[in-house]
Amino acid sequence: MPILSWMRSLVRNLAAPRRVDEHLDDELESYVALVTAEKVRSGMTEPAARRAALLECGGVQQLREEVRDVRAGARVSALLQDVRIAWRGLRRAPGFTLTTTFTLALGIGAATVVLAVVDRTILRPLSYADSDALVTVLQGGTDPVAPANFLDWRRALRSFSALEAAEYWTPTLAEGDAERITALHVTPGMMAMLGVKPMLGRGYSSREVLDAPREVIISHALWQRRFGADSQVVGRLVTLDAQPFTVVGVMPPAFHFAPFWATRAELWAPLPLAGASTDRDASSLRVFGRLAPGVTRARAQAELTALASTLNAQFPGSSADMRVTSLREKAIGNVAPVLYTLLGAVAFVLLITCVNVAHMLLTRGAARQKEVALRIVLGASRGRVVGQAVIEATLLAVCGAAGGVAIAMAGIRALVMRGPADLPQLQLLAFDARVALIAVAIALFTALVLGVLPALLARQAALAASLRDGSRGTTGGRSRLRQLLIASEVAFAIVLLVGTSLMVRTYQAMRTIDPGFEPRGVMTMQLPLVKSAQPSAEQRLEWFRGTLDVARGAGADVALVNHLPLAGDEWGAPTFGGTTENATKGKGQRSIFRVVTPGYFHVMHTPILRGRDVSASDDRQHPGVVVINARLAATLWPAGDALGKRLTFDAADAPSREWLTVVGVAHDVKQSQWTAPSDAELYIPYAQAKAYLEGPTRGTSYMTLVARVQGDPARLVSRLRRYLHDADPMAPLTEVQSMDSVVAQVMVRATFVMSVLLALGAIALVLAAVGIHGIMSYSVAQRRQEIGIRMALGAGAGQVVRAVVRQALSVAGVGAVAGLVMSLALSRFLQSQLYGVSPADIVSYVAAAGVLGVAVLVATAVPARRAALVDPMTAMRSE
Amino acid sequence: MTNTQTNLLVGTLDVLILKALALQPLHGLGVSRRIEQVTGGTFVVKPGSLFPALHRMEEAGWLAAEWGASENNRKAKFYTLTAAGRRQLHAEVSEWQRIAAAMTLALQAT
């Protein structure tokens, strides 16, 4: 068939079906008229001739259908017609349509949000080119590496096509209001290795590892926040830590680096490595690499291990336990179980949604059995009747999807605003084309699942028997199917509720953890070492003493510490107890290294268990002292009292060993992880901390002030701000936050998982209740006659209500048992998320069953009451 | 109608319609009568087969249709053979002749 003429016909048939039909009618009419005229000529009367002519045609309507069927696009127009019929049908039943749409929208919306998060964080977490080949190389998989080691690796290792390093940096940006920002020093080849080009500008002028041009690349967010999104920003000079740097690039909005540890970095400048190229002690570099094409991680690890052992022989203790980890794992490793938990929860919500809608369609199908049978008798093909049911389900799914998209958009917005900062890339989440695609896929999947059921029913309905059978379509099989639906709805909801209560119990258990200090009422802020105070140890001591006096003047109980517990940054130092004199490098007990001023324990309410706090007299004129925590005391001196014992940071072969005397044992404090046992810790008095008093100011140029304030802390903050500004306008007060909020940050993931699960649990509960209510109402309506007979035979209203409720509860009970068994089997997978509660926690199971029981009772109450109001006479007459 | 009337063989209707229209444009009844006439009343095409076939062939581009006046001045839709229809007629005629010859041969064989 010439394609052009076919296309023309198709367009004509679809665009103006009515005109084509009219033409056909005219043609048939003229045919009948011509035949009639013939017959009149051969002697028949006009009416008889016309009757005979019509008879010869064999039914004009059928003829018209037959002609229509051969037309181009017959199928398309039949489909459109079916869609129109389905749409009209749905509009005739607004209650059904609205409930179904709402149910589907809830399910699809929730599923879309969670899948979008999973997609963002697990499936495409890293916005770098070919990110599967990216790895990190770290000591023990977590700790930084010394510059000389990194440079040796770069020279020798062949498994990597690139090896670059990054170092934490918090420069003060002096552009208008001075602001300290989170930044990274990176080797100049970093961006090229990641495979991301700046959106503006061309990047660093050199890619040589030892070159450190004074250039910066800034993040999209910083560009908007501090540079007014100025398209001419490239080439501009900015002042960082009082040094001029040229802006050479703005990264695209999706670019984030690093994906772990320094997740909030907004600026990247070349790492000045030239001066540190032989340093094997100051481990400050996080090393990132790209595996050479075809090289596996195992092979790279083998090559690295071999090189590290050579280096270790040459420089003892310098290269122990170096590990190659995939960057993806490093970035998302520990959020994966969270996301799989949420994914599972969403699957259950979708299941409940489908069961609900399936029942609604079932009910509707039963109500329409006669109509369907009639259509089949009138010649509608079975395929078309089944197709009709599928089309109706699809239409509903489309409406549901539209509602779901609206819910998903709102949900995503809420997540971006309230989600935890440590879910990488969550901030990038947006309702984009990809998420829309996810929603459509879920909707199509639902339509398919839902389409199958009415299709099966339509087949049943095709039995013309139901035409003759003047009654409703409830058979024993059908009502068993209903009971199965109720039971599975209850079972799915129980699984979700058990998961939710386990997380709630976990959250409660976490709230009761004693971190070893009292966060309430403590304000914290970072105090810089102003430039004028930097030259000597005396000046540094004097500067901080003066600042503390100002703070005390504002009525606060204050002290300084190098890093707050739980604030994300921690330093470890290998420590040797006095009894293990032959301690070798690399074998020491790793302890969290804190530098404090006298009174720190008092401010934090951390109990000193034995001995004393560091005091004002513990300075450089007096022998070195240290306060250790109970854990370190038990590790180094398991047998006896730690007080008075000595420890050192220097290995046995060090040129000289500096000993510190233990003067106090403090209570353990949560250092990095809220739920993990406390690490070993030690506290050095600031006045004896060499690195802080004499070292270069990188990393040691600020201390954190902790202040226990009575009343409003604003006075303290504003007074300190003024004091700092007078001393050095380029040294702002930063990171002002309450200790409570520091703790809240640590709890954020547990809070997040709990609140999402609570939301999903609530959705599941509502859906299940709505579903059960629907099923019970229908079942009561079906049994009106029976109930009427019972009441006529003397059953009271109470008895009827009890009967209905008993029926619902017994079915729900079966579902609940199944759900509890399922939960028991599934909750094992939650284990890693739980704290202080067992996956088989009886309270959670009872609570879930109880809540659901109440929901079932409420959902049954209305239909039961309706049953009790049945008027026996009306009910029995109604058939 | 006589009892010599035969059911249309599958595939013969199209070629009969094309042939009927080869001489002059006709309306539906005209096509039907012409086929009846040229086959000596052997084939009678009922409207139930005729109109679907006409429309199918029109969609295929073998026929063109336009409204005109019938012999007794009634409005009627006249079908005309298009160039494509003429080609189709030639193809079908030669095909038919080949089959007819083969059938005759086969049935005369002893």
Side-chain angles (χ1 to χ4, degrees):
Chain A
M1 188 186 299
I3 191 79
L4 256 178
S5 99
W6 181 81
M7 293 276 282
R8 221 178 298 127
S9 309
L10 182 68
V11 169
R12 176 166 36 110
N13 293 343
L14 291 181
R18 190 153 302 159
R19 220 182 61 220
V20 174
D21 274 355
E22 274 165 12
H23 283 182
L24 180 59
D25 287 347
D26 285 350
E27 184 177 9
L28 294 179
E29 178 51 42
S30 96
Y31 178 89
V32 170
L34 285 168
V35 174
T36 311
E38 255 180 27
K39 292 193 190 298
V40 167
R41 271 203 303 280
S42 61
M44 282 172 108
T45 63
E46 173 90 29
R50 187 167 170 82
R51 247 196 323 277
L54 281 174
L55 205 64
E56 221 170 278
C57 279
V60 175
Q61 184 56 37
Q62 203 180 337
L63 187 55
R64 205 191 278 159
E65 285 293 327
E66 274 168 27
V67 173
R68 240 185 233 148
D69 278 350
V70 304
R71 268 207 214 122
R75 272 172 199 219
V76 182
S77 70
L79 186 71
L80 285 180
Q81 195 189 7
D82 283 351
V83 170
R84 267 197 302 274
I85 292 175
W87 181 244
R88 272 205 300 271
L90 288 179
R91 281 188 44 186
R92 262 202 309 273
F96 163 80
T97 308
L98 276 181
T99 329
T100 321
T101 305
F102 176 69
T103 309
L104 282 171
L106 262 186
I108 292 174
T112 304
V113 171
V114 176
L115 282 188
V117 172
V118 169
D119 172 60
R120 229 330 152 193
T121 48
I122 289 188
L123 302 180
R124 44 167 188 169
L126 305 175
S127 47
Y128 315 127
D130 189 18
S131 53
D132 287 340
L134 292 174
V135 294
T136 63
V137 189
L138 297 168
Q139 179 159 27
T142 53
D143 289 355
V145 172
N149 286 349
F150 163 65
L151 291 172
D152 285 340
W153 298 347
R154 250 183 91 95
R155 271 190 291 274
L157 295 177
R158 294 283 154 263
S159 302
F160 299 91
S161 60
L163 265 182
E164 308 289 344
E167 187 185 59
Y168 203 68
W169 184 35
T170 50
T172 303
L173 174 64
E175 286 279 317
D177 286 340
E179 178 190 2
R180 212 164 72 227
I181 54 176
T182 305
L184 284 176
H185 274 130
V186 295
T187 46
M190 184 66 86
M191 302 304 176
M193 184 192 78
L194 297 174
V196 184
K197 287 203 171 66
M199 186 184 80
L200 288 177
R202 311 181 56 177
Y204 305 126
S205 55
S206 161
R207 287 195 185 160
E208 283 306 307
V209 68
L210 290 181
D211 269 1
R214 287 202 176 282
E215 296 170 344
V216 291
I217 293 176
I218 59 176
S219 75
H220 189 265
L222 186 68
W223 176 58
Q224 296 201 314
R225 182 159 57 85
R226 291 302 299 259
F227 298 93
D230 176 11
S231 58
Q232 304 298 313
V233 75
V234 173
R236 226 165 104 176
L237 278 180
V238 295
T239 311
L240 290 166
D241 282 349
Q243 305 271 10
F245 284 79
T246 312
V247 176
V248 293
V250 178
M251 294 311 277
F255 180 80
H256 276 235
F257 184 80
F260 68 104
W261 150 71
T263 50
R264 281 190 295 185
E266 293 188 296
L267 180 148
W268 304 270
L271 176 68
L273 259 191
S277 58
T278 55
D279 190 341
R280 289 189 195 275
D281 291 318
S283 300
S284 61
L285 303 185
R286 257 82 176 181
V287 178
F288 297 81
R290 183 177 281 283
L291 294 175
V295 175
T296 62
R297 194 146 50 82
R299 220 181 95 197
Q301 177 70 64
E303 196 194 0
L304 175 70
T305 309
L307 176 65
S309 68
T310 317
L311 286 174
N312 249 342
Q314 221 174 329
F315 313 99
S318 66
S319 262
D321 191 24
M322 293 301 173
R323 279 190 217 161
V324 182
T325 319
S326 102
L327 186 57
R328 184 193 178 91
E329 193 185 314
K330 192 79 193 151
I332 66 162
N334 44 358
V335 297
V338 172
L339 292 161
Y340 288 126
T341 304
L342 298 181
L343 211 58
V346 146
F348 276 99
V349 168
L350 260 189
L351 276 176
I352 296 173
T353 310
C354 281
V355 170
N356 262 2
V357 176
H359 173 258
M360 295 177 202
L361 288 173
L362 188 75
T363 308
R364 189 167 158 77
R368 288 175 54 197
Q369 264 185 9
K370 275 191 240 173
E371 175 201 329
V372 166
L374 193 66
R375 286 186 63 196
I376 288 176
V377 168
L378 288 183
S381 73
R382 186 158 301 179
R384 198 147 169 206
V385 168
V386 172
Q388 185 81 56
V390 176
I391 285 169
E392 197 176 275
T394 313
L395 259 186
L396 284 172
V398 168
C399 293
V405 163
I407 292 180
M409 284 170 131
I412 283 175
R413 210 171 307 130
L415 263 186
V416 171
M417 271 161 54
R418 310 203 31 200
D422 74 337
L423 269 181
Q425 311 275 320
L426 193 61
Q427 298 308 312
L428 289 179
L429 197 61
F431 196 91
D432 54 13
R434 208 171 143 111
V435 178
L437 216 64
I438 291 175
V440 168
I442 295 172
L444 277 184
F445 174 78
T446 328
L448 234 118
V449 171
L450 294 177
V452 171
L453 193 85
L456 290 177
L457 288 175
R459 190 157 294 186
Q460 269 185 21
L463 302 169
S466 56
L467 248 192
R468 270 175 275 124
D469 165 21
S471 74
R472 55 221 162 203
T474 35
T475 61
R478 187 68 48 80
S479 85
R480 255 202 304 285
L481 182 55
R482 278 212 168 78
Q483 291 178 344
L484 183 71
L485 288 181
I486 293 189
S488 49
E489 206 148 22
V490 168
F492 296 148
I494 286 254
V495 173
L496 209 52
L497 289 179
V498 167
T500 307
S501 21
L502 283 174
M503 285 315 293
V504 171
R505 300 258 297 154
T506 294
Y507 182 76
Q508 284 171 340
M510 285 173 76
R511 296 290 304 197
T512 63
I513 290 177
D514 172 18
F517 55 87
E518 173 53 59
R520 199 156 310 139
V522 174
M523 279 304 291
T524 77
M525 59 210 79
Q526 286 189 359
L527 286 180
L529 192 56
V530 293
K531 208 166 167 45
S532 58
Q534 284 172 8
S536 76
E538 289 316 315
Q539 280 164 302
R540 294 183 191 189
L541 279 166
E542 191 49 47
W543 159 250
F544 281 127
R545 204 174 303 141
T547 317
L548 285 177
D549 283 344
V550 170
R552 285 196 193 100
D557 188 4
V558 290
L560 299 178
V561 63
N562 58 346
H563 296 297
L564 285 174
L566 296 173
D569 200 0
E570 60 170 60
W571 288 358
T575 317
F576 307 100
T579 48
T580 44
E581 293 294 337
N582 56 348
T584 52
K585 203 165 183 181
K587 292 269 161 62
Q589 161 67 39
R590 182 176 183 273
S591 314
I592 305 285
F593 182 79
R594 300 263 175 236
V595 174
V596 295
T597 61
Y600 172 75
F601 297 101
H602 183 252
V603 173
M604 297 296 277
H605 288 186
T606 300
I608 301 268
L609 304 173
R610 282 192 300 284
R612 62 170 177 89
D613 186 2
V614 301
S615 74
S617 59
D618 294 320
D619 56 19
R620 297 207 294 167
Q621 282 72 50
H622 291 84
V625 298
V626 63
V627 173
I628 63 178
N629 73 341
R631 167 94 195 273
L632 183 58
T635 315
L636 292 181
W637 297 282
D641 192 353
L643 278 190
K645 300 281 191 337
R646 299 189 310 160
L647 61 78
T648 181
F649 300 118
D650 304 312
D653 57 351
S656 72
R657 306 184 80 190
E658 225 173 291
W659 291 94
L660 305 175
T661 306
V662 177
V663 295
V665 177
H667 194 282
D668 289 348
V669 167
K670 296 285 176 193
Q671 292 296 349
S672 54
Q673 276 180 298
W674 187 254
T675 53
S678 298
D679 296 306
E681 314 152 70
L682 50 82
Y683 302 84
I684 306 290
Y686 182 80
Q688 292 181 340
K690 226 166 145 192
Y692 280 78
L693 293 172
E694 295 165 4
T697 52
R698 216 158 21 111
T700 56
S701 64
Y702 55 86
M703 292 288 283
T704 301
L705 178 89
V706 291
R708 195 167 281 281
V709 200
Q710 307 295 331
D712 188 9
R715 210 164 72 90
L716 168 72
V717 174
S718 68
R719 195 181 275 205
L720 277 175
R721 262 194 219 291
R722 211 167 334 118
Y723 180 71
L724 281 177
H725 190 268
D726 291 349
D728 181 354
M730 287 295 115
L733 192 66
T734 49
E735 306 273 319
V736 180
Q737 55 185 342
S738 70
M739 201 61 211
D740 264 336
S741 76
V742 173
V743 172
Q745 280 299 313
V746 183
M747 303 272 291
V748 87
R749 184 180 291 181
T751 318
F752 173 71
V753 176
M754 189 195 62
S755 34
V756 173
L757 272 182
L758 266 178
L760 289 178
I763 291 175
L765 197 64
V766 168
L767 286 179
V770 167
I772 292 169
H773 171 260
I775 298 174
M776 286 314 294
S777 306
Y778 184 79
S779 136
V780 166
Q782 291 292 300
R783 289 172 56 203
R784 261 167 72 93
Q785 213 176 3
E786 176 204 325
I787 292 170
I789 293 174
R790 283 192 187 194
M791 291 182 82
L793 292 178
Q799 265 174 304
V800 170
V801 170
R802 270 199 298 282
V804 172
V805 171
R806 202 181 312 123
Q807 183 206 2
L809 281 186
S810 65
V811 175
V814 173
V817 170
L820 290 174
V821 171
M822 232 191 306
S823 306
L824 209 53
L826 287 174
S827 59
R828 285 183 297 125
F829 298 106
L830 264 183
Q831 180 84 68
S832 69
Q833 309 281 306
L834 300 181
Y835 176 83
V837 54
S838 127
D841 176 51
I842 188 80
V843 177
S844 301
Y845 286 71
V846 170
V851 168
L852 204 79
V854 171
V856 171
L857 273 182
V858 170
T860 324
V862 179
R865 216 181 109 68
R866 209 176 299 137
L869 293 178
V870 164
D871 170 16
M873 291 319 286
T874 338
M876 286 162 71
R877 231 185 268 126
S878 70
E879 286 292 327
Chain B
M1 278 173 239
T2 64
N3 37 7
T4 54
Q5 190 179 324
T6 311
N7 280 332
L8 280 171
L9 275 165
V10 178
T12 53
L13 181 60
D14 283 12
V15 70
L16 284 173
I17 292 177
L18 290 170
K19 182 71 186 171
L21 289 170
L23 280 180
Q24 69 189 93
L26 291 168
H27 50 64
L29 183 64
V31 171
S32 177
R33 292 286 178 264
R34 166 67 57 86
I35 290 173
E36 213 177 318
Q37 182 197 335
V38 296
T39 60
T42 309
F43 292 136
V44 175
V45 187
K46 298 231 172 97
S49 332
L50 178 70
F51 284 105
L54 283 173
H55 280 258
R56 181 165 41 75
M57 290 162 80
E58 188 190 349
E59 301 265 301
W62 298 340
L63 309 183
E66 58 182 352
W67 292 91
S70 72
E71 50 274 31
N72 42 10
N73 250 345
R74 282 174 192 282
K75 200 178 124 189
K77 194 176 172 192
F78 282 80
Y79 292 90
T80 320
L81 218 53
T82 62
R86 219 165 277 285
R87 276 197 300 280
Q88 182 68 19
L89 174 62
H90 284 303
E92 294 212 8
V93 164
S94 54
E95 176 73 8
W96 186 252
Q97 279 168 347
R98 225 166 41 79
I99 293 172
M103 285 300 289
T104 317
L105 221 74
L107 296 176
Q108 283 172 348
T110 48

